[in-house]
Structures are given as C-alpha cells and as structure tokens.
Amino acid sequence: MRSILRFFDRNRGDTLVAERPVPDSTGVTLGAAAAAESVPTSGLIVVETTLQAAEARQATLRVFLGEAAKPAFEKTVQLTAEPQQGWLAVHGHLLGNGPARLRLELSDAGGPLAERTLTVKARNEGPLAEATRDSLKRTGVPAVIDLCDAGLYDYDDPGLKAWYDRAPAEIEAHLAHLKASGAANDAEIAALRQFTEEGYLVLPDVIDQPLLGRLNAALDDAVEKKIEGYEWGVSQRLHNLHNQYPAIRELWLHPTVLRMLTLIFEAPARPCQSLTYVFGSEQQYHQDTIHLTPFPAGRMCGVWSALEDVQPDSGELVVFPKSHRLPRVYMKDADLAKVTGDWTEFGEKVVAVWTSLLESGKFTREIYRPKAGTVLIWHENLMHAGSMRLDREKSRRSIVGHYFAEGAVVYYDSSGMPGVLYEGELTA
C-alpha cells in the first residue's frame, strides 16, 4: 500500500503566529493574534496563542465573547519556561457578521495572571452561512473549540444536503431552473449533470497557452531551486507555490474555475491550498472528505489542472465514477484518534474501510489522460488515486487545488485542525 502520509497539508502560508508578547508583571506570557483582526473571515476564526511563564505552573485559559461574564471556553494548561504555541478556533457563524471582541485570560486560584483582547472581523453572508449558523445554534455547538471533529456537527440534517447530493428528480429540477433563469449555459449545465452523475466534471481548454507557458516556467524554477528539498524524479508534491509564483496564483483564482465552483456550491468558492506535481503521486485511493472537511457536507471540491498532455504509464490520475455516492467516512466512524504524526493506524483502518466500500459497489476504475490546459473538478467524496508510474521517465505535470464554499465550516477531520482559506478578493 502506498501511503497518503501528509497529503493534505494545511496552507501554512496564510496562518498567523502571534508575535512575541511581553510578559505581564506576574511573569506569565499570554500572546494572541488572528488573521481575522485585519481580514474579514468566514467560518472558523483561528486564534494563534503563545503561553509561557518564568517558572512552571498550572493555570486556566479562558475565552470570553463580547462582554459576556461567563467564558465560552476554558481549559487547564501547564505553563513552562519554554513558549508553547497553540491555537483556538471560534465559530464565526455564532458571532454574527462584522466585528466581535474576544478576551483571553490566564488565571489561577489567586486570580488573573494575564489578559489579551482581540477584535476580529467575521464575514457570514448568504444563505449557506445562515443555514450553517442556524444548525450550530440549534444543536448547541460550542462557540470556541481547540479540536475540530465531525461529531460536533449535525450531518444528518436533510435540510443541509447540497442540491447535487439529492434525489435525481430534485437535481434535474435544479438544472432546469438554472437553464430557465439563464444562470448557466448549456455547456455548463451538461458539466454540472456529469458532476452529479459521475462525481466529477471535465472542462477542456480552460488554461490558455500563455498561462501554460508561465505555469511550466514556474515549475521549472521551483525544481531548479529545489524548493522543499525537491529531487528530480520523485513523486513529491510542492506545497502552496501560489504564494511564490504569480502564474500559479492566477490559476488558483482562475475565473472559469471559480464560476463553475460557484454554480456547484451556490456560494462563492474560496481556495484552501495548492499542490504542484512534476511526476505522478502514486497515492492510494481515498476520499477527500476525511481530510478536507466541510460542514455542511458536500461543500468542498478538488480541482486538477493538467500542465501537459498526460501520457500512458506516467502515474495517471484514476477516478472511480459514481463513488461519490458512497457513505462519507469520518474519524469517528473508524474509531480513530486524531493523527498527530504517525499515520500508520489511519492507513490500516481507514484504507480498509475505503477498500470495503469500493469492493461492495464494484466501481469501475477510470484512467484520466487529459490534454494540457484541461481542468477536472471532483466531488469531495469521489474515490480517486494516483496510478503506478510504470515509466519513471515520464512526467505528469499538474496542479491540484482544494476549494470550499464560503459560509461553510472548514476543518481537517483527520488531524483535528481548523482550515485556513484565502479570504481576499475573488475574480468571479
């Protein structure tokens, strides 16, 4: 079995680590910072923390929302002379829309030791955000968490089911409405129908030749510079090159891709990360759901862009049509603790579940060999893989992006970490 170790890495380029805070007079340090202090943020608002004390001691960390006297979150922490970096996540849906005050406090039996106050900007606009907020309130989801887990959310609520995950008659009614209203043209409707039936859609000739040239030049430069220690010929992916290369960022925010994703999500689509490949990944078959996890379900898509004509035996992408209708698998379903470093048990238990699901459905295995410039968009739950590189000399230049619907809760169920989205201006 080929490992999927660390396939879905957090977009570290967009995270914010608290600057070095000054210790209070008690000798205790409480640092806190959030990207949402300056950028309106949808979904989870991540607060990066730094805790430290001149001498080791136990304390309680509390978080207060607004002027509330009762904390929304508290836990016991062990303070040491070494700074401890951590995070908390606030369900921004529960803050409303606009600025909100957060107060963090460290205290012990003798009283407060340190305090920090942040004003964050929550952006929760549109029907999806409203439906998500209503669900969080109705089911009593905590406003502040320090571990993300699928068990927090009401995934069984039929009212939150995406249109493309509904019954065929409802899907056809939705597509008919798009056509009658002029919201989508015939080609887009055909692509959307393929997405609902097969679990993916294919858009040819999305990337024009000038952009393809710039993309391949960027990849050549990254290889030459051995970014992330890259060595020629290995199946290594390069993370978030959109942060370094304008051409990759242009593809990441491509208006044609964003438009199609917006038609799928019925909400703006926001990218999460990019993964760039020179050669095939050779990754085991998997669903993205357990790694790149939205609530409500269905509000994530993968986007696979070909930078060259994909050749036979190059380690081509493999998809399993119609497998997106399989049950979603979360960590709680596999009775697994969050992965903090060693993925061995994950591979043993979750891959076994995926294998059983594939075998029970007798799904066909389709090899994908697109022309350069073609884009494939897949449903979050579609089973897919990287085939074996039978010819090690053949490259398979491609870029993968993962996108979430604005208004959803975004997290990584496999690791328990919060998701980080691009919160800047969208081109579509």
Side-chain angles (χ1 to χ4, degrees):
M1 181 193 78
R2 274 171 165 62
S3 173
I4 57 173
L5 176 65
R6 293 189 62 77
F7 175 65
F8 298 103
D9 294 273
R10 199 173 170 203
N11 185 358
R12 298 293 179 183
D14 290 338
T15 59
L16 178 66
V17 177
E19 296 180 2
R20 291 184 186 175
V22 178
D24 281 23
S25 58
T26 58
V28 172
T29 297
L30 169 56
E37 290 179 274
S38 57
V39 180
T41 299
S42 57
L44 288 173
I45 293 175
V46 181
V47 179
E48 304 277 3
T49 61
T50 302
L51 308 180
Q52 188 177 11
E55 297 180 354
R57 63 193 301 173
Q58 182 173 289
T60 300
L61 175 64
R62 296 186 175 92
V63 181
F64 299 83
L65 304 183
E67 302 303 321
K70 182 179 179 181
F73 173 90
E74 65 179 329
K75 72 171 182 179
T76 300
V77 295
Q78 299 295 328
L79 305 178
T80 67
E82 291 296 320
Q84 301 173 55
Q85 305 291 339
W87 61 270
L88 300 167
V90 182
H91 281 104
H93 294 84
L94 301 177
L95 299 180
N97 193 43
R101 181 174 176 268
L102 310 177
R103 183 169 64 87
L104 286 75
E105 176 190 276
L106 274 175
S107 62
D108 63 9
L113 299 171
E115 180 180 301
R116 293 292 178 268
T117 299
L118 308 178
T119 298
V120 298
K121 302 174 182 178
R123 183 183 61 242
N124 293 293
E125 302 166 335
L128 178 59
E130 292 177 7
T132 303
R133 177 171 56 250
D134 289 346
S135 176
L136 299 184
K137 288 183 175 180
R138 183 173 61 252
T139 57
V141 173
V144 183
I145 56 176
D146 64 350
L147 185 72
C148 301
D149 186 76
L152 290 171
Y153 307 111
D154 184 9
Y155 280 103
D156 295 327
D157 184 348
L160 296 176
K161 186 176 287 189
W163 68 269
Y164 37 88
D165 285 340
R166 294 179 178 269
E170 294 177 274
I171 290 172
E172 286 303 317
H174 181 84
L175 295 175
H177 173 72
L178 290 178
K179 182 173 183 177
S181 65
N185 60 39
D186 289 344
E188 290 169 333
I189 289 171
L192 291 171
R193 182 173 284 111
Q194 180 188 20
F195 181 82
T196 64
E197 293 175 354
E198 304 296 324
Y200 65 91
L201 60 84
V202 178
L203 303 174
D205 303 319
V206 170
I207 311 170
D208 60 28
Q209 288 299 321
L211 180 53
L212 277 172
R214 296 196 300 277
L215 289 166
N216 279 295
L219 186 48
D220 289 340
D221 186 73
V223 169
E224 182 180 356
K225 292 176 178 176
K226 295 190 175 184
I227 288 179
E228 297 183 8
Y230 183 82
E231 294 292 339
W232 182 257
V234 300
S235 294
Q236 178 182 342
R237 61 202 173 273
L238 300 175
H239 303 82
N240 300 317
L241 292 185
H242 63 271
N243 288 324
Q244 301 178 53
Y245 294 97
I248 296 178
R249 191 171 192 83
E250 184 178 341
L251 175 62
W252 202 54
L253 296 171
H254 198 289
T256 300
V257 173
L258 293 184
R259 171 169 169 75
M260 185 56 66
L261 289 168
T262 298
L263 287 172
I264 292 172
F265 292 145
E266 295 186 288
R270 293 197 169 271
C272 171
Q273 62 182 5
S274 67
L275 304 170
T276 302
Y277 297 86
V278 182
F279 294 91
S281 67
E282 296 188 301
Q283 285 169 332
Q284 177 76 317
Y285 46 78
H286 59 277
Q287 299 167 323
D288 287 351
T289 303
I290 201 168
H291 296 291
L292 294 134
T293 317
F295 176 76
R299 273 64 177 203
M300 199 287 293
C301 283
V303 176
W304 199 101
S305 301
L307 304 191
E308 65 179 337
D309 296 349
V310 175
Q311 301 299 312
D313 301 333
S314 63
E316 304 97 302
L317 175 69
V318 172
V319 295
F320 296 83
K322 297 180 171 54
S323 62
H324 64 302
R325 298 290 184 182
L326 287 168
R328 288 176 169 85
V329 179
Y330 299 103
M331 296 295 278
K332 61 184 179 63
D333 303 318
D335 192 27
L336 276 172
K338 303 302 182 183
V339 178
T340 58
D342 184 356
W343 290 79
T344 303
E345 187 179 14
F346 179 95
E348 292 171 349
K349 290 188 175 181
V350 177
V351 174
V353 174
W354 286 333
T355 300
S356 177
L357 288 173
L358 279 178
E359 290 176 348
S360 67
K362 298 180 179 179
F363 295 96
T364 60
R365 180 178 182 273
E366 185 172 306
I367 297 176
Y368 179 60
R369 295 191 186 114
K371 295 293 185 181
T374 304
V375 170
L376 179 145
I377 299 176
W378 69 70
H379 186 288
E380 68 168 55
N381 213 46
L382 181 76
M383 205 77 75
H384 58 286
S387 59
M388 293 285 291
R389 292 171 54 196
L390 300 179
D391 187 337
R392 309 295 291 185
E393 299 300 316
K394 289 183 177 179
S395 62
R396 193 208 68 178
R397 289 174 168 240
S398 56
I399 296 178
V400 175
H402 296 96
Y403 297 73
F404 288 83
E406 181 179 296
V409 178
V410 176
Y411 67 104
Y412 308 121
D413 191 52
S414 56
S415 66
M417 298 289 289
V420 178
L421 300 182
Y422 169 74
E423 298 287 355
E425 184 177 352
L426 299 172
T427 55

